[in-house]
């Protein structure tokens, strides 16, 4: 299925959960923040949050800044 | 010598009056040594999208240092609120430096949107630290909206141009009953020292340290300068003599070479 991640289409296995998807992307599950369809997903819900086709995700983290 | 007045920000007592920005370093791996040399207890970070295999900065920041996420990228109060919520969800506390900027050339903060952002963030229990032009009315609006400090710019961000807004910052120091953290544009330790001599509460430095040939040494220089400026302010500098009044001997006048 296709979902929109950070403005780009990414292909995921059907009903993939957030934790698996983040690991597959090579992202640090502990330090990223995820917004799914405009709602921030608490870290403790990553494992049980499954995505559906055409979901919109923002995956962000801290970078250097002033 | 009496102790300094405690510096309490958002209910947290701080020893260091130098905040460190973490942008523009040649490598994030420099940051632990720079942070240590600066003595900073607070460092700013930005929030951005994560690429595949993207590594954030958190791993490079010593665990005893408090993160101050900024809302850079926000052009409106609502965008700042969204970024602040994301930052808070990262689980590193409730402090947020509000940056609301839509001007792309000089990157000057939008005072109206910034004051509105303070209002929105404070309602959500966020400790709001707005980055502002040193404008008395904007600073007052931020204070009334519940800001924990104001962060006036010394010069346009990232320019190393120094304390160009000195007069206006002096007015804020006099008029605003909040910590004044001079932020942006300071290029030399002497300029941070001068801001502290005027009575600023703290300074935030990023580009001046990151763009130095030896960032670790420059961080140490800023640490010393901020401390010196603070001590000078506490000491209360002597009066400046008008030029037309001539000079005044500091040694007793001789009584034998008549």
């Amino acid at each position: 299925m296709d979902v929109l991640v950070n403005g780009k289409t990414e292909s995921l296995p059907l009903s993939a959960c957030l934790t698996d998807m983040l690991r597959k992307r090579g992202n640090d599950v502990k330090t990223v923040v995820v917004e799914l369809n405009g709602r921030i997903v608490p870290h403790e819900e990553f494992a049980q949050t499954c995505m559906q086709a055409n979901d919109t995700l923002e995956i962000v983290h801290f970078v250097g800044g002033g | 010598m009496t102790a300094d007045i405690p510096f309490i920000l958002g209910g947290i007592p701080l020893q260091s009056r130098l905040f460190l920005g973490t942008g523009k370093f040649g490598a994030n791996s420099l940051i632990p040594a720079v942070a240590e040399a600066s003595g900073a207890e607070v460092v700013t970070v930005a929030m951005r999208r994560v690429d595949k295999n993207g590594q954030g900065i958190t791993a490079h920041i010593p665990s005893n240092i408090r993160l101050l996420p900024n809302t850079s990228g926000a052009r409106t109060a609502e965008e700042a609120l969204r970024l602040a919520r994301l930052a808070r969800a990262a689980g590193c506390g409730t402090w947020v430096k509000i940056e609301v900027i839509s001007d792309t050339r000089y990157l000057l903060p939008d005072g109206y949107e910034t004051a509105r952002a303070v209002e929105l963030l404070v309602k959500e229990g966020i400790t709001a630290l707005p980055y502002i032009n040193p404008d008395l009315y904007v600073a007052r609006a931020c204070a009334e909206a519940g800001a924990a400090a104001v962060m006036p710019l010394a010069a346009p961000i990232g320019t190393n141009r120094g304390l160009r807004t000195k007069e206006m910052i002096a007015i804020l120091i006099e008029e605003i009953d909040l910590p004044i953290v001079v932020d942006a544009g300071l290029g030399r330790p002497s300029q941070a020292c001068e801001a502290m001599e005027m009575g600023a509460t703290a300074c935030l430095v990023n580009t001046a340290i990151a763009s130095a040939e030896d960032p670790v040494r420059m961080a140490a220089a800023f640490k010393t300068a901020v401390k010196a400026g603070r001590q000078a302010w506490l000491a209360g500098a002597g009066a400046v003599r008008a030029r037309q009044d001539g000079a005044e001997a500091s040694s007793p006048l001789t009584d034998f070479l008549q």
Side-chain angles (χ1 to χ4, degrees):
Chain A
M1 61 174 181
D2 283 353
V3 297
L4 198 66
V5 182
N6 291 350
K8 291 188 190 125
T9 303
E10 286 190 21
S11 234
L12 299 179
L14 273 177
S15 72
C17 81
L18 263 181
T19 310
D20 291 344
M21 177 220 174
L22 290 168
R23 287 199 179 123
K24 206 164 271 185
R25 277 182 111 247
N27 298 147
D28 179 359
V29 176
K30 286 197 296 295
T31 57
V32 300
V33 177
V34 178
E35 210 182 52
L36 174 59
N37 301 326
R39 173 188 164 263
I40 296 172
V41 184
H43 277 89
E44 57 273 18
E45 291 177 23
F46 279 10
Q48 26 331 348
T49 301
C50 301
M51 280 155 297
Q52 292 166 357
N54 304 319
D55 273 350
T56 300
L57 286 125
E58 285 292 337
I59 305 172
V60 296
H61 64 169
F62 289 136
V63 298
Chain B
M1 206 163 64
T2 53
D4 196 347
I5 307 148
F7 173 23
I8 295 169
L9 188 58
I12 305 289
L14 296 169
Q15 300 303 313
S16 169
R17 292 174 180 269
L18 175 60
F19 293 7
L20 175 69
T22 59
K24 299 193 204 167
F25 282 91
N28 284 345
S29 55
L30 283 168
I31 286 169
V34 170
E36 189 177 352
S38 73
E41 293 168 289
V42 177
V43 305
T44 55
V45 291
M47 187 144 245
R48 292 291 179 272
R49 286 171 162 176
V50 189
D51 298 329
K52 284 184 178 176
N53 303 310
Q55 294 309 307
I57 199 169
T58 317
H60 297 281
I61 294 171
S63 58
N64 59 335
I65 290 184
R66 177 173 289 268
L67 289 189
L68 174 55
N70 66 33
T71 63
S72 65
R75 291 151 303 184
T76 64
E78 285 71 23
E79 287 179 352
L81 178 62
R82 183 182 174 198
L83 284 165
R85 285 172 175 164
L86 287 165
R88 187 173 51 179
C92 59
T94 60
W95 289 17
V96 172
K97 172 180 159 182
I98 297 176
E99 264 185 69
V100 186
I101 298 170
S102 48
D103 177 83
T104 54
R105 181 159 161 77
Y106 289 106
L107 305 175
L108 295 169
D110 179 333
Y112 306 104
E113 290 296 318
T114 300
R116 271 204 325 117
V118 173
E119 211 166 312
L120 295 178
L121 269 63
V122 167
K123 273 190 190 136
E124 300 218 351
I126 289 166
T127 300
L129 307 171
Y131 168 59
I132 60 170
N133 282 300
D135 177 290
L136 181 59
Y137 296 97
V138 170
R140 277 186 183 148
C142 289
E144 279 162 23
V150 289
M151 305 179 78
L153 60 92
I157 198 161
T159 60
N160 286 344
R161 288 170 64 79
L163 201 49
R164 301 287 171 138
T165 59
K166 187 177 175 180
E167 296 288 331
M168 299 299 139
I169 288 175
I171 291 169
L172 297 194
I173 289 168
E174 210 175 291
E175 295 289 327
I176 302 293
D177 193 20
L178 284 175
I180 309 289
V181 182
V182 176
D183 178 7
L186 294 172
R188 301 279 180 271
S190 54
Q191 293 153 357
C193 187
E194 188 173 11
M196 297 304 292
E197 282 176 8
M198 285 162 49
T201 315
C203 290
L204 192 157
V205 179
N206 187 162
T207 302
I209 293 172
S211 64
E213 279 178 36
D214 183 342
V216 175
R217 194 180 288 271
M218 190 58 88
F222 269 98
K223 176 186 178 177
T224 309
V226 165
K227 282 190 171 178
R230 179 65 187 175
Q231 286 296 326
W233 181 77
L234 289 168
V240 177
R241 203 178 163 93
R243 186 185 47 79
Q244 59 271 28
D245 292 344
E248 188 182 23
S250 38
S251 307
L253 295 174
T254 180
D255 57 358
F256 68 95
L257 297 176
Q258 295 298 3

